[in-house]
Amino acid sequence: DKASNIQLLRCINCVVHAFEKSCLLPKPYQLRQDPPPSMAIASIGLRSSIEQAAQHLWDLDANRATPNQDYSINVQDSKKPYHKYDAAEDPLFDRVDRYLFQRPTYKSFVALLDNYCAATGKAEYMSNTERHEIQTFLTNIMQTPCMQFCHKYCVANAENAKERIPTSASGFAKLLKTI
């Protein structure tokens, strides 16, 4: 009967999805190309180099959220920087695809949001869970082409020993953690 077959297929789909989520890990991305010499600070200057690098990062970012596909916004009444209030009656985001937050980089970033005390002058306590969330986020972003390119760009353009950038990805992640 058709209804039974549909229920069976839904059950199978749930089991397969649960198996994929718990047992299969995505293959880490490996950026195999160095930044082109045309982006070197020494040859074209800092401003041009950063502009080219930023455009290259944009081009590499296949993980970014796509407007009107992954989310839609409602800008409502405009707010000027000198206004002390928000005139918007509705939320800025009309819709956000919930699967966007299942991507490892987004999921680990959202987990960081409650780790920090917004009040100034108050000491923060960092739990082991928060340390783990930071490490997970760094691990996830270091697997993206954007951060791998950023690392290689920084290594290629470090000019002296004071600005020493670790050549290993794990060393770069440790540097990011200290920053």
Side-chain angles (χ1 to χ4, degrees), residues 47-65:
R47 179 183 292 291
S48 295
S49 179
I50 288 178
E51 286 175 7
Q52 289 182 11
Q55 182 60 52
H56 193 66
L57 283 170
W58 179 263
D59 296 340
L60 283 173
D61 190 7
N63 192 37
R64 71 173 161 261

Side-chain angles (χ1 to χ4, degrees), residues 2-69:
K2 184 177 179 180
S4 297
N5 288 342
I6 290 173
Q7 281 185 318
L8 179 63
L9 287 173
R10 285 184 178 153
C11 289
I12 292 170
N13 189 31
C14 287
V15 169
V16 168
H17 182 71
F19 175 75
E20 287 174 343
K21 292 291 260 177
S22 60
C23 298
L24 302 177
L25 296 174
K27 183 178 178 185
Y29 181 86
Q30 279 291 4
L31 185 68
R32 302 203 188 285
Q33 60 192 118
D34 290 324
S38 62
M39 282 187 208
I41 290 172
S43 64
I44 63 173
L46 179 61
R47 179 183 292 291
S48 295
S49 179
I50 288 178
E51 286 175 7
Q52 289 182 11
Q55 182 60 52
H56 193 66
L57 283 170
W58 179 263
D59 296 340
L60 283 173
D61 190 7
N63 192 37
R64 71 173 161 261
T66 306
N68 299 321
Q69 181 180 335

Side-chain angles (χ1 to χ4, degrees), residues 150-168 171-173 175-176 179:
C150 185
H151 173 224
K152 289 184 178 192
Y153 178 83
C154 290
V155 168
N157 287 294
E159 293 185 9
N160 59 38
K162 269 189 353 186
E163 298 173 0
R164 202 76 196 156
I165 305 294
T167 55
S168 71
F172 188 66
L175 176 63
L176 292 176
I179 293 173

Side-chain angles (χ1 to χ4, degrees), residues 15-130:
V15 169
V16 168
H17 182 71
F19 175 75
E20 287 174 343
K21 292 291 260 177
S22 60
C23 298
L24 302 177
L25 296 174
K27 183 178 178 185
Y29 181 86
Q30 279 291 4
L31 185 68
R32 302 203 188 285
Q33 60 192 118
D34 290 324
S38 62
M39 282 187 208
I41 290 172
S43 64
I44 63 173
L46 179 61
R47 179 183 292 291
S48 295
S49 179
I50 288 178
E51 286 175 7
Q52 289 182 11
Q55 182 60 52
H56 193 66
L57 283 170
W58 179 263
D59 296 340
L60 283 173
D61 190 7
N63 192 37
R64 71 173 161 261
T66 306
N68 299 321
Q69 181 180 335
D70 294 320
Y71 67 91
S72 60
I73 60 172
N74 179 4
V75 292
Q76 303 164 63
D77 292 329
S78 61
K79 179 183 181 305
K80 304 293 184 218
Y82 51 82
H83 288 158
K84 296 189 187 236
Y85 62 93
D86 184 356
E89 294 178 12
D90 298 318
L92 174 62
F93 287 90
D94 277 334
R95 182 191 59 78
V96 178
D97 185 348
R98 62 188 175 129
Y99 293 108
L100 183 66
F101 297 106
Q102 294 306 311
R103 296 179 189 176
T105 52
Y106 287 79
K107 189 175 186 176
S108 58
F109 175 75
V110 169
L112 292 176
L113 295 178
D114 66 351
N115 289 5
Y116 304 98
C117 178
T120 58
K122 285 190 174 183
E124 288 191 40
Y125 168 76
M126 190 180 302
S127 69
N128 287 334
T129 301
E130 290 172 335

